[in-house]
Amino acid sequence: MTGALELLRGISAPLVLVPGNNEGESELRAAAPAGATVLHGQASEIGGVRIFGLGYAVPVTPFTDWSCDLEEDAAAALLARGESR
């Protein structure tokens, strides 16, 4: 993950990141460049545009040793947060 984030450090536009299936939300928040917005099950307004982010793999993958996954019910509950606003 560190190599990919190094590539993003030079971007001056607003940067929105969502965790993939290979890093947890807390790991991404800790590694994200200063000023980046990390979204997972929540929304943020950036430049007048509301953006909702949901990370991880849905449905659960067979790669349980290293994959961050969500059951479909858990993902639906998180997505419902974005629909209610």
Side-chain angles (χ1 to χ4, degrees):
M1 178 169 59
T2 304
L5 288 174
E6 283 302 316
L7 293 172
L8 300 176
R9 292 195 193 284
I11 295 174
S12 60
L15 184 60
V16 177
L17 306 171
V18 294
N21 68 318
N22 198 22
E23 68 278 338
E25 178 184 6
S26 60
E27 291 173 292
L28 183 57
R29 287 186 187 283
T37 301
V38 176
L39 297 178
H40 178 64
Q42 72 254 33
S44 182
E45 188 171 310
I46 299 171
V49 176
R50 187 166 177 270
I51 300 170
F52 182 87
L54 178 66
Y56 298 173
V58 180
V60 173
T61 71
F63 310 112
T64 56
D65 292 353
W66 57 266
S67 186
C68 296
D69 303 333
L70 287 175
E71 297 281 346
E72 290 187 44
D73 289 346
L78 290 171
L79 287 170
R81 293 181 188 178
E83 295 171 356
S84 65
R85 298 185 179 160

